[in-house]
Structures are given as C-alpha cells and as structure tokens.
Amino acid sequence: MNKLCRQLSIESPSVGGRECVFSFDVPVPDVPARGARIRVVCAGACYHPKRSGSLTSLNSVSSGSSLATDVSVEGDFPSMLPHHGMRDAALFPGYEVAGVVESLGSELTEDCGVKLGDRVIMYPYEGIPNGYVEYLVVHDLKYLIKVPDNMPLSVAAMLPAGALLAMNTVHAAHELVQSLLEERGDNSVCKILIVGTGGLALWALRIAAYQYSNMKDRVTITIASLKDDGLMMAQEFQRWYFDYSVNVVQWSEDLYEKQLIERTMDACGGQVDVVIDFGTTSRSLHRSMQCLGKGGVVFVIKEVADRLLPKFSRRAEERQQKIQPVEPGNLEQLRELVQLVGSGEIEPPPHTVYPAEDALDVVQKLCHSEIQGRAILRFYPAD
C-alpha cells in the first residue's frame, strides 16, 4: 500500500531546549496476515521516553521557548527540576490509543473475536511504534480490547497507560495495606498519601476510592497537591464519590520544607503508612519519605525509581523504609479496567479533546500544568 499517513511523536521535554514534538508522513503499513490494522481516532498526550535519532522536526518545542528546565538545589539534594507538568505527572511516559478496526489479516477466520468496525484500545506491548500513527498495525489480536458502546473513545484512550499504571500502583499498595490492617487488628487505620495532581494522581485517587469503598473507616486518603487547584480537584472528586472523604494539602514551593512536612502530617493525622508518589523529583521523594513512618513504603513509577533509587536507597534503609518501583501493568488488568470504567464503577477524571494538529500547543500547556485532567489528541471524528 503506497498511501501515506501522519505520524506524531512526542519525546520527553525534560531536558531544556530539546525539540520534543515531531510530525511527518510515513507509509500506511500493510496488514499482518494474522493481525489487524487500526485507524487511530484518539490518543492520550503522553511522551515516548526514548528519543529516536532519525526524527526530523516539523513542529517542535524549541530552545527559545519558555519550557526550559529550572535548576534547584535543596540541601544536599541538587536536582534538575523538569517542567511543572512533568513534576506533577500531568505529562508522563506512555502509549495510549483508541480507534476502529479498519482491516483484518488474510489468515484470520470469522471466529477470531474481532470484526471490522470494532472500537478498540491497544495494550502497549513491547515493539509499539515510537509515535502515534493514523494507521496502526497489531500483529497479535490478543493486544486489542473491545471498548463498550457507551464509552467514548476519548475516555478509552486514557486507559492503556495512565489509568493502567495508576491501577497497578494502587493494587501494589493494597497488598501492603491489607497486611498492615491484619497485623494491627480490628479498628486499626492505614493512612495513604497520594502525591500529584496530574493524570496519574487523578486516576489513582478514583481507583483507590473504589478499592477501599468497603473500608472507608479503616483507610484514609490524603492528596498532596502540587498546584493551586488541588482543592478544586478534591471537590470534583467528592461529587462522584460523595461518601468517601479525602483530605487535601497544598505543597506550595513558597514554603520551607519543614513547614510543608508539618502541614502534610497535620492533614494526614501523623505519619503515613503508604505514599503513592507521582512526583518526579528528588525534592518530592525526599518530602514523601519525611512524611512516611517507620516500615512504610513509597511507591514510584519505574522510570523515576531508576533515576532516584541510587540516591535514596541508603537513606531509605536508614529510616527503615522502602522505595518500591511500579511497572505499567498487565493486559488482564487493562481488561478489568475497561469493565470497571464502562460499568461506571470507576468514574474517569476530566479530560479535554484537542485536534492532533495542536499537539505542540497541548504539550506546552501540559508542561505548565495549564490543562485540568487529561489531554486527548483526536485524529478522526468517530464517536
């Protein structure tokens, strides 16, 4: 097939001055004999963590933009602070697409479980493209999950990376919560602190509320907001989960660390047992550990753990704490997530849909945390 289609690639904008949004034409891929070709309708605004050296930028965040990084030195924790949107996980690594089955492979039979026109999302398996393409091929149908008719594709596009990572993080924390409650006995309480106000934290808050819906008296949740609309976020959450009380503490960078730590422990009612930290900086992790009790665990995404564990592992050992990396999540969890969101048991966070052509502007806004909730890029109108 000689036709061309568009590919949109978003690379990590964490290093100041580096171009990070790319758009170019690529050949429409042939349909694998036992696979399918998907016409991508919506894609979550995530970045690919590794840059491909062969890309040529047509539209990019340039070195002259206002997205340059800031350098911050906090005590003995010097660190390059990325853009605000990356610090609070408004922009995070991942691959999220939702679309329609456009073609099926010649060797597939009618009972393959997928038919033309099916609305699907794709699990981000090893070997996915470096960017979002208008026509995407899948070599194994097991990576496709059908989307319920009542779920907009813009919502479905939020599930394969952000929501799935948040779900796996909450599930990992749940094992510790159960163990602590059993060990401490009846009427004991486990305290959870969720750090961040971006897409990952928004999903984690909703999934945790669902997970502990029958344990509200024994599990408390506090949100450490990294930007000013933390209270608004909590109020929006309460409209859907009105019977689950959530505390909010503002992590204002204008305050001294000691004040922030004291304020956080006041909001939590003392040191916490579990921290789910979607922040990406040394400062955030250091603060989380100060709010964590002896024997507690901080859960961080693997990309952050790979970078910060060498610096903090000894400190965690001295404090008798643990820093646990969390992987993105598996295919079965994604299937479960589709069912929970489709049935209304978990309410998705707010999102805004933008034309794919506006990706550069969207990334700039995300880097400055100017978009509430998730940002979704639309390639085709299909809903």
Side-chain angles (χ1 to χ4, degrees):
M1 197 170 188
N2 296 322
K3 292 183 179 180
L4 297 178
C5 66
R6 178 178 32 165
Q7 176 167 321
L8 179 67
S9 296
I10 303 172
E11 304 291 332
S12 171
S14 60
V15 179
R18 194 176 76 181
E19 299 173 341
C20 66
V21 180
F22 303 84
S23 179
F24 45 92
D25 292 333
V26 296
V28 173
D30 294 330
V31 184
R34 300 193 60 80
R37 187 167 61 208
I38 311 302
R39 189 186 71 179
V40 174
V41 176
C42 292
C46 304
Y47 67 86
H48 193 275
K50 296 181 181 179
R51 183 175 186 182
S52 301
S54 60
L55 296 181
T56 301
S57 171
L58 298 183
N59 295 297
S60 62
V61 176
S62 67
S63 58
S65 76
S66 59
L67 301 186
T69 55
D70 300 318
V71 178
S72 173
V73 178
E74 176 209 334
D76 60 341
F77 295 102
S79 62
M80 289 293 292
L81 290 184
H83 313 308
H84 197 290
M86 296 185 71
R87 297 204 301 270
D88 70 4
L91 185 62
F92 52 86
Y95 196 88
E96 299 178 317
V97 294
V100 177
V101 177
E102 183 261 352
S103 297
L104 291 171
S106 58
E107 296 182 9
L108 292 175
T109 59
E110 291 185 0
D111 61 353
C112 67
V114 177
K115 64 181 185 298
L116 296 180
D118 278 349
R119 302 161 73 250
V120 295
I121 59 173
M122 186 192 74
Y123 177 76
Y125 60 92
E126 189 72 27
I128 54 175
N130 285 343
Y132 294 134
V133 288
E134 292 178 300
Y135 288 92
L136 175 69
V137 295
V138 179
H139 292 269
D140 192 331
L141 297 185
K142 73 178 182 181
Y143 296 118
L144 296 180
I145 301 175
K146 292 184 182 180
V147 174
D149 292 338
N150 66 335
M151 183 186 295
L153 288 180
S154 59
V155 171
M158 293 193 282
L159 304 183
L164 181 59
L165 175 57
M167 181 183 218
N168 196 35
T169 306
V170 172
H171 282 188
H174 181 58
E175 295 180 11
L176 175 62
V177 170
Q178 282 187 310
S179 175
L180 288 174
L181 291 177
E182 290 175 4
E183 179 183 318
R184 294 172 179 175
D186 296 340
N187 301 320
S188 60
V189 175
C190 187
K191 301 172 185 176
I192 299 176
L193 174 65
I194 299 176
V195 178
T197 42
L200 296 177
L202 290 171
W203 274 114
L205 177 58
R206 285 157 170 77
I207 294 168
Y210 168 78
Q211 183 79 62
Y212 300 114
S213 58
N214 296 324
M215 306 170 63
K216 294 187 290 291
D217 296 334
R218 302 195 64 191
V219 178
T220 66
I221 299 176
T222 301
I223 290 287
S225 171
L226 301 180
K227 56 182 182 178
D228 295 336
D229 60 358
L231 181 58
M232 183 173 64
M233 180 190 78
Q235 290 172 340
E236 188 272 338
F237 168 81
Q238 296 288 181
R239 285 202 297 270
W240 294 101
Y241 300 91
F242 56 87
D243 59 343
Y244 206 117
S245 178
V246 173
N247 302 316
V248 179
V249 58
Q250 177 72 35
W251 276 11
S252 172
E253 298 299 331
D254 296 332
L255 297 179
Y256 291 108
E257 281 298 300
K258 184 178 179 181
Q259 292 175 300
L260 288 174
I261 293 166
E262 290 175 351
R263 175 182 290 187
T264 304
M265 287 197 284
D266 284 344
C268 297
Q271 289 184 315
V272 300
D273 303 292
V274 174
V275 179
I276 296 175
D277 190 347
F278 291 121
T280 60
T281 64
S282 295
R283 175 177 293 182
S284 174
L285 182 54
H286 173 248
R287 194 178 299 157
S288 293
M289 293 173 66
Q290 295 296 314
C291 299
L292 189 66
K294 184 184 295 185
V297 179
V298 182
F299 293 89
V300 296
I301 63 176
K302 186 177 184 301
E303 185 185 52
V304 175
D306 290 343
R307 178 165 49 85
L308 296 183
L309 261 178
K311 182 184 296 186
F312 283 92
S313 57
R314 182 176 177 181
R315 183 175 293 260
E317 184 177 345
E318 291 172 350
R319 296 179 59 86
Q320 299 181 43
Q321 297 170 345
K322 183 179 179 182
I323 302 171
Q324 182 168 325
V326 181
E327 298 284 352
N330 59 48
L331 182 58
E332 289 308 311
Q333 285 177 316
L334 183 56
R335 294 186 191 279
E336 179 187 0
L337 191 56
V338 170
Q339 294 176 352
L340 291 172
V341 175
S343 66
E345 294 179 85
I346 294 178
E347 180 68 23
H351 68 283
T352 306
V353 179
Y354 299 89
E357 294 81 3
D358 294 345
L360 174 62
D361 183 53
V362 170
V363 170
Q364 288 179 321
K365 288 180 177 179
L366 286 172
C367 284
H368 292 98
S369 295
E370 295 174 355
I371 297 175
Q372 184 183 8
R374 291 298 313 280
I376 303 298
L377 303 173
R378 181 178 289 278
F379 287 84
Y380 289 101
D383 290 337

